[in-house]
Amino acid sequence: MPQDDPMAGLALPRSFNFAAHLLGVNSGRGEKTAFVDDQGSLSYAQLDERVRRLAAGLRSLGLRREERVLLLMQDGTDWPVSFLGAMYAGLVPVAVNTLLTADDYAYMLEHSRAQAVLVSGALLPTLTAALVKSGHEVGKVVVSRPAAPLHPAEVDFEAFLQAHPPLTKSANTSADDPGFWLYSSGSTGRPKGTVHSHANPYWTCELYGKRVLQLTEADVCFSAAKLFFAYGLGNALTFPMSVGATTLLMAERPTPEATFKRWLGQIGDQTPTVFFGAPTGFAGMLAHPKLPPREQVALRLVSSAGEALPAELGERFQRHFGIDIVDGIGSTEMLHIFLSNTPQKVRYGTTGWPVPGYRVELRGDDGLPVPDGEPGDLYIQGPSAAMMYWANQEKTRETFQGGWTKSGDKYVRNADGSYTYGGRSDDMLKVSGIYVSPFEVEATLVQHPAVLEAAVIGVPDAEGLSKTKAFVVLKDHAQVSTEELKAFVKDKLAPYKYPRQIEFVKELPKTATGKIQRFKLRAQEAENAG
């Protein structure tokens, strides 16, 4: 292998357990703080013990290798214990979005066939409703920080740990064994269970966390993106632990005010040196009256992903704090960022250059590479690609093609080798860093008795960030306010999916076969904005 190959010397042994690997990396850092949340902290030694206790506890339930464990938890010190403990035991944690509905969790329980659930006390009522809806039985529900007395089928997280001595040895997994799942939204239908191996997070740590971001054990990391996101999982767990750094975790929403409190050390005694955010969050911070001056923050590095970063936003942040935002793009399917600016080289308005160890191609509708300056579909080849979508052969074949992963994004390659985002290849929207299916929102709107038809698109706000807009055709003589419709959607879907704007129209543009032509609505909006 050539010496300039970024993967030289990084070959993994056949027997490899990622959780055991992270614990081993930090075996000499026992007293160093690993994680801090609003209620306390864990040293690396405490983390090691608790991970192995949880692994023993899960094994005691009779769970077998590769069986799934649903992880529905708010960010806190019990989250990394749960995730790593399941992997250490050879089980497969299924980390799910905490912002979803009981219907969503009912589907995920059935689809993953989860045999146990690790849940935050605040989310237990939603989980209970999901279990009733699904009819899916789980062997045990382990509750972190319960808010009320527990039922017989439920057990307190702390009591569960203390009841089991630490497992002395991890499961003998291989690098290519299933390690964990993350759910990825699709343009239609249900979310897709994206299966990642034990090796995949190792590669993202080595190639991006260490090589591009150059994290060290002196860093204190804080991520606005939660741990259940692929982006947040790297930012706040795998990357920091791979170098022995400290991570600040926050259960509450990452509002500007909550974020500033952590930046300024007003909660706990640690202040972050590295912050991972998303463009919507940066826009909110810069507009906030309590935006701290640059001399009050200890940040040395700021990262952005989740949606394209408008150049003007990055430049304003840099002018205020004297720090560039390092923008990149990743995906649930590739686990983390594969195309990125770097701390040493930032070109605002672009997503940067391929991360070492990854190859990128832009292809036209004919499947052939497109020349520089022309838009093409983004394909990625790299060692962290997911194994498959669970029980979804059609989508697996469509996305994972002969060693390449089709991202679903349109890009243009510039003369300097950087890449500029051109939008989604399909009609999927990304709002505040989270994918939103227009079809799902439309189907909910038409459930309202006053609504005949609806079409949803993404439109840029004043900061250049994508927000949802619904075009609604009402039934004859029907009347309803925009606020009533917004509330209606919020009541039926996860709150972040509701349309931020609603426009009533007489008819929607359609093809001869009756399909809604969203591209015409987008063109109309662009013309109006221009």
Side-chain angles (χ1 to χ4, degrees):
M1 190 175 283
Q3 288 304 304
D4 60 352
D5 188 325
M7 295 170 67
L10 296 179
L12 289 173
R14 174 157 167 49
S15 179
F16 180 77
N17 181 287
F18 182 68
H21 164 72
L22 285 186
L23 296 182
V25 164
N26 294 292
S27 59
R29 297 188 176 98
E31 299 308 309
K32 189 174 191 298
T33 300
F35 293 96
V36 182
D37 68 13
D38 297 346
Q39 299 190 30
S41 64
L42 282 182
S43 68
Y44 273 104
Q46 292 170 323
L47 176 68
D48 183 287
E49 179 183 348
R50 290 170 73 82
V51 165
R52 292 187 294 113
R53 281 185 183 275
L54 183 72
L58 292 172
R59 285 268 189 93
S60 76
L61 299 177
L63 301 185
R64 295 171 294 181
R65 282 278 299 272
E66 296 183 19
E67 287 188 323
R68 271 74 66 191
V69 177
L70 197 79
L71 203 169
L72 174 57
M73 299 178 74
Q74 296 172 329
D75 282 19
T77 56
D78 287 345
W79 206 105
V81 171
S82 300
F83 184 80
L84 296 174
M87 292 185 74
Y88 194 87
L91 304 170
V92 179
V94 179
V96 298
N97 188 332
T98 58
L99 305 175
L100 302 179
T101 66
D103 284 338
D104 294 318
Y105 300 133
Y107 168 76
M108 291 172 177
L109 284 163
E110 293 172 357
H111 180 251
S112 68
R113 304 170 197 154
Q115 297 301 299
V117 181
L118 299 159
V119 62
S120 292
L123 299 170
L124 182 57
T126 308
L127 172 69
T128 302
L131 287 166
V132 171
K133 284 175 178 286
S134 71
H136 177 80
E137 294 185 6
V138 297
K140 185 68 71 174
V141 175
V142 182
V143 186
S144 168
R145 301 171 183 173
L150 300 178
H151 296 296
E154 302 160 353
V155 62
D156 176 76
F157 188 92
E158 196 61 39
F160 188 65
L161 259 61
Q162 297 311 315
H164 299 92
L167 196 64
T168 56
K169 188 177 180 182
S170 71
N172 185 27
T173 53
S174 81
D176 291 335
D177 280 350
F180 60 96
W181 291 17
L182 301 170
Y183 272 96
S184 175
S185 295
S187 58
T188 60
R190 292 289 195 173
K192 302 182 292 292
T194 310
V195 182
H196 279 285
S197 70
H198 276 264
N200 287 0
Y202 170 83
W203 292 116
T204 61
C205 290
E206 295 296 324
L207 298 175
Y208 188 71
K210 294 181 182 180
R211 185 168 180 132
V212 175
L213 297 183
Q214 299 174 2
L215 299 177
T216 74
E217 65 177 331
D219 280 315
V220 177
C221 300
F222 176 44
S223 174
K226 300 300 184 182
L227 284 162
F228 61 75
F229 289 115
Y231 181 47
L233 181 63
N235 303 342
L237 197 162
T238 64
F239 292 176
M241 282 194 69
S242 73
V243 297
T246 296
T247 300
L248 307 184
L249 297 174
M250 180 175 72
E252 66 182 298
R253 286 178 55 244
T255 62
E257 199 154 354
T259 299
F260 298 154
K261 286 180 180 179
R262 271 85 183 166
W263 282 10
L264 300 174
Q266 294 174 357
I267 296 179
D269 57 359
Q270 301 264 15
T271 53
T273 61
V274 181
F275 177 69
F276 301 88
T280 298
F282 291 122
M285 292 175 200
L286 291 172
H288 200 277
K290 293 186 178 180
L291 180 70
R294 70 171 69 188
E295 61 270 14
Q296 289 186 10
V297 302
L299 296 174
R300 71 165 187 86
L301 176 67
V302 175
S303 165
S304 178
E307 55 189 325
L309 178 75
E312 188 271 340
L313 196 55
E315 289 161 357
R316 269 201 292 141
F317 188 94
Q318 202 284 333
R319 284 196 299 272
H320 182 85
F321 287 108
I323 307 166
D324 277 311
I325 297 178
V326 179
D327 186 35
I329 183 177
S331 68
T332 306
E333 290 75 12
M334 293 303 296
L335 189 55
H336 213 276
I337 290 173
F338 49 80
L339 187 62
S340 181
N341 287 269
T342 72
Q344 297 77 28
K345 190 177 183 183
V346 171
R347 181 182 169 191
Y348 286 123
T350 79
T351 314
W353 296 261
V355 169
Y358 293 83
R359 292 176 60 198
V360 168
E361 273 190 11
L362 300 184
R363 302 177 187 173
D365 293 340
D366 56 5
L368 299 176
V370 299
D372 286 2
E374 291 190 15
D377 291 310
L378 179 67
Y379 287 76
I380 314 101
Q381 188 179 73
S384 63
M387 303 170 72
M388 62 176 159
Y389 296 129
W390 181 262
N392 194 335
Q393 188 179 69
E394 180 184 356
K395 285 294 183 182
T396 295
R397 288 177 172 173
E398 183 181 313
T399 301
F400 305 104
Q401 302 179 12
W404 291 88
T405 301
K406 184 178 181 180
S407 77
D409 297 289
K410 292 281 190 183
Y411 263 87
V412 171
R413 187 178 188 271
N414 304 307
D416 65 354
S418 65
Y419 289 77
T420 299
Y421 180 67
R424 290 290 295 166
S425 301
D426 55 21
D427 281 316
M428 279 294 291
L429 307 176
K430 213 167 193 184
V431 180
S432 299
I434 308 175
Y435 282 125
V436 175
S437 167
F439 307 100
E440 185 180 26
V441 182
E442 290 162 5
T444 303
L445 281 166
V446 297
Q447 292 177 34
H448 192 281
V451 175
L452 178 64
E453 293 179 313
V456 174
I457 65 170
V459 296
D461 66 7
E463 300 285 355
L465 303 174
S466 182
K467 303 298 179 188
T468 45
K469 178 172 182 177
F471 294 84
V472 173
V473 179
L474 296 179
K475 295 176 182 176
D476 287 345
H477 311 298
Q479 292 187 338
V480 65
S481 70
T482 58
E483 292 308 311
E484 183 180 341
L485 284 181
K486 290 178 183 179
F488 181 80
V489 175
K490 281 184 183 180
D491 185 58
K492 293 188 173 295
L493 298 178
Y496 64 83
K497 296 181 179 180
Y498 84 94
R500 298 325 195 258
Q501 299 178 41
I502 294 178
E503 180 178 337
F504 295 109
V505 294
K506 291 184 177 180
E507 60 181 5
L508 298 173
K510 297 178 183 177
T511 65
T513 56
K515 292 183 179 179
I516 297 172
Q517 296 174 308
R518 292 179 190 81
F519 72 92
K520 289 189 176 180
L521 295 172
R522 288 193 288 266
Q524 174 187 310
E525 282 297 300
E527 184 178 339
N528 292 341

